[in-house]
Amino acid sequence: MRIRTYHHQLSFSGAPAASDFATLHQQGYRLIVNNRPDEEPGEHLSHQQEKTLAEGMGIDYVYLPYTFDTLTWETVYTFHYLLRRGKKTLAHCRSGARSACLALLHALREGRIDEARFRSQCEEYGADADKALSWYRRHQSVQSHAQVHAFYEPESGSLQYVVADPEARRCAIIDPVLDFDRRSGTVSHQQAHTILSFIRQQGWGVAWVLDTHPHADHFSAATWLAQKTGALSGIGEKITAVQGLWQDIYNLKELPPAETVWDALFADGDVFFIGNLRAEVLLSPGHTLASVTYHIADAAFIHDTFFMPDSGTARADFPGGNAEALWDSLQRILSLPADTRLFTGHDYRPAGREARWESTVREQRENNPWVANMDKAQFIAQRKQRDATLPHPELMLMALQVNIRGGVLPDCEDDGRHYLKIPVNRFKG
């Protein structure tokens, strides 16, 4: 196995033998990314054999196989997010050339290198520049329409979404609900199983499981679904600030660092892909510090910012909430193209109408009384006045301690059971 160094954090090689894993650990590698499909000819370890050997040495392992017939931008950008974990990484295929192409294609698309530099670096790492550039030119334009499927959870009025690139047969799950029976204290996965069943019927793979923010009115099924599907999980990077707020409120002595809970902590402006659907992250604080919007092709998943036009906007009085910041977030969403489809995170069915969840930027701008003919000062005053009359969500004190851990219950105590904490007299009734 010949290792070629790209930079201090990333190296490429051919397929390792079983005896190489101890050496890799000694050399400080803490992540192995396998880009070689198991079906490829040759006497090599399977990805399951590699995974067992790597994890036995305390090395993280990700199977991210591709050929130029199956490659999508999702694979290129997923590789980028794996490197953002900050671990010394070895990426391999049969020779190392394809692994090098992933790093170089990302640099080329992001404008960090030009085509001449791309060719010279391909030559340096033994990669086929002509084949890679041919793929690049065929895929410079990306899918412009996202296929969206909504799943309404009536207990909390929550919307869960599957957004897909059906041509690439890839999808993402956004804001999934973990069922919680507040009377018995029982968690279950009916909502998540419904989503998984639908995805299996479509024959899609799951690229990402995403939360728009740590929810106050339901438990998140994000980590459970990511583990079930092998997808990456993501949330806005300001989750660390929200963790700090609620760690103090709950007097939690220990809390897993956010980077160990989610695979990606998205910054404002970060780009990722679902198949060949381009997704951009927009920081959207106001309801919470960590709220983000996922702008995916011609759709935006806005959760607790706008509701449907007849229902106004989200509240801004939770710990870390801010009405002024919420107004700015609303205006940023309204600056998207007028026909952008907006998918809200809740619908409380005013006057008992049927549940709705899709609007457009134009409809919100023209028909939502909280922004139409409203200025910032009026909005802030009206929002604060309205929020002062609202009770806290029934599940808030139960849900936040779970959702700042990605939907993972607090660790079992010495009797093998999970327990939730309730801070008594911390909030006014």
Side-chain angles (χ1 to χ4, degrees):
M1 181 182 62
R2 183 168 70 91
I3 295 177
R4 287 149 287 175
T5 299
Y6 183 60
H7 54 63
H8 72 280
Q9 186 187 332
L10 175 62
S11 299
F12 310 120
S13 78
S19 58
D20 292 324
F21 285 84
T23 302
L24 292 171
H25 182 269
Q26 291 169 0
Q27 292 176 346
Y29 289 98
R30 293 298 178 264
L31 172 63
I32 293 176
V33 181
N34 179 1
N35 302 127
R36 189 190 68 81
D38 278 349
E39 303 77 33
E40 201 168 60
E43 296 297 321
H44 303 291
L45 297 171
S46 71
H47 80 273
Q48 287 292 353
Q49 290 172 319
E50 286 192 16
K51 179 180 174 69
T52 299
L53 288 164
E55 293 180 348
M57 299 300 305
I59 302 173
D60 289 348
Y61 181 88
V62 176
Y63 183 49
L64 191 66
Y66 86 91
T67 69
F68 281 104
D69 292 329
T70 63
L71 183 61
T72 64
W73 283 116
E74 177 195 315
T75 305
V76 174
Y77 277 73
T78 296
F79 186 66
H80 166 72
Y81 280 100
L82 293 173
L83 297 180
R84 276 179 43 166
R85 293 180 181 178
K87 298 184 177 182
K88 187 175 179 181
T89 301
L90 178 76
H92 83 80
C93 51
R94 187 167 52 188
S95 67
R98 244 174 318 178
S99 297
C101 280
L102 285 184
L104 297 176
L105 283 167
H106 184 270
L108 182 62
R109 183 175 179 86
E110 291 295 306
R112 295 199 304 274
I113 60 174
D114 59 16
E115 187 171 313
R117 180 64 174 157
F118 181 87
R119 284 187 174 278
S120 67
Q121 289 197 301
C122 280
E123 183 177 354
E124 181 179 350
Y125 297 109
D128 189 332
D130 288 333
K131 182 179 288 188
L133 287 171
S134 176
W135 179 89
Y136 179 84
R137 288 166 185 145
R138 291 197 310 272
H139 292 83
Q140 279 185 298
S141 61
V142 297
Q143 294 289 350
S144 59
H145 179 74
Q147 189 175 121
V148 179
H149 301 269
F151 298 81
Y152 184 68
E153 194 278 305
E155 186 76 14
S156 62
S158 296
L159 273 305
Q160 312 158 86
Y161 294 102
V162 174
V163 53
D165 175 357
E167 184 176 316
R169 310 192 73 76
R170 300 291 287 174
C171 70
I173 302 169
I174 300 177
D175 289 324
V177 172
L178 178 68
D179 300 273
F180 178 71
D181 183 343
R182 69 197 72 187
R183 298 165 188 83
S184 66
T186 303
V187 296
S188 59
H189 302 91
Q190 295 128 324
Q191 298 288 326
H193 278 301
T194 297
I195 292 172
L196 284 180
S197 177
F198 169 79
I199 291 170
R200 291 189 187 110
Q201 289 172 7
Q202 302 302 313
W204 296 337
V206 182
W208 289 92
V209 182
L210 306 168
D211 268 324
T212 51
H213 68 291
H215 306 278
D217 47 14
H218 67 261
F219 290 17
S220 171
T223 295
W224 188 85
L225 279 165
Q227 291 171 346
K228 285 292 182 183
T229 61
L232 297 183
S233 61
I235 198 169
E237 65 176 355
K238 300 298 185 181
I239 183 63
T240 55
V242 178
Q243 282 185 323
L245 279 173
W246 287 92
Q247 187 170 11
D248 177 66
I249 290 169
Y250 289 117
N251 191 32
L252 298 175
K253 302 304 181 186
E254 294 183 3
L255 188 66
E259 62 269 17
T260 68
V261 177
W262 291 272
D263 294 299
L265 301 179
F266 293 116
D268 185 44
D270 273 349
V271 172
F272 63 97
F273 279 79
I274 304 157
N276 289 309
L277 291 173
R278 183 184 184 275
E280 183 175 357
V281 180
L282 309 180
L283 180 63
S284 304
H287 177 64
T288 75
L289 281 169
S291 298
V292 296
T293 292
Y294 296 110
H295 183 201
I296 303 173
D298 61 339
F301 298 84
I302 58 176
H303 211 274
D304 288 349
T305 51
F306 283 110
F307 294 143
M308 293 301 292
D310 64 353
S311 301
T313 77
R315 63 197 295 174
D317 63 327
F318 291 160
N322 183 283
E324 182 175 358
L326 180 57
W327 171 264
D328 292 340
S329 295
L330 297 173
Q331 297 308 306
R332 189 174 185 192
I333 291 169
L334 291 178
S335 72
L336 296 172
D339 58 353
T340 302
R341 296 176 293 152
L342 302 181
F343 293 92
T344 189
H346 285 292
D347 188 62
Y348 301 117
R349 304 177 59 208
R353 64 156 169 73
E354 76 283 359
R356 299 175 188 164
W357 46 81
E358 180 179 350
S359 61
T360 65
V361 167
R362 181 182 292 105
E363 289 168 347
Q364 291 286 356
R365 187 186 296 131
E366 295 176 354
N367 301 322
N368 191 318
W370 285 76
V371 291
N373 302 313
M374 181 82 73
D375 64 26
K376 187 172 186 175
Q378 289 175 304
F379 173 84
I380 293 170
Q382 185 170 306
R383 188 69 268 166
K384 288 182 176 179
Q385 182 180 24
R386 171 64 174 152
D387 290 351
T389 70
L390 299 175
H392 286 133
E394 289 185 29
L395 286 185
M396 183 178 82
L397 296 180
M398 290 175 272
L400 263 301
Q401 62 198 286
V402 173
N403 293 338
I404 58 175
R405 298 164 56 102
V408 176
L409 297 174
D411 294 340
C412 289
E413 298 191 9
D414 56 11
D415 62 354
R417 295 184 181 277
H418 302 281
Y419 291 88
L420 300 175
K421 297 179 71 173
I422 300 296
V424 177
N425 292 333
R426 176 60 176 79
F427 295 95
K428 293 181 180 180

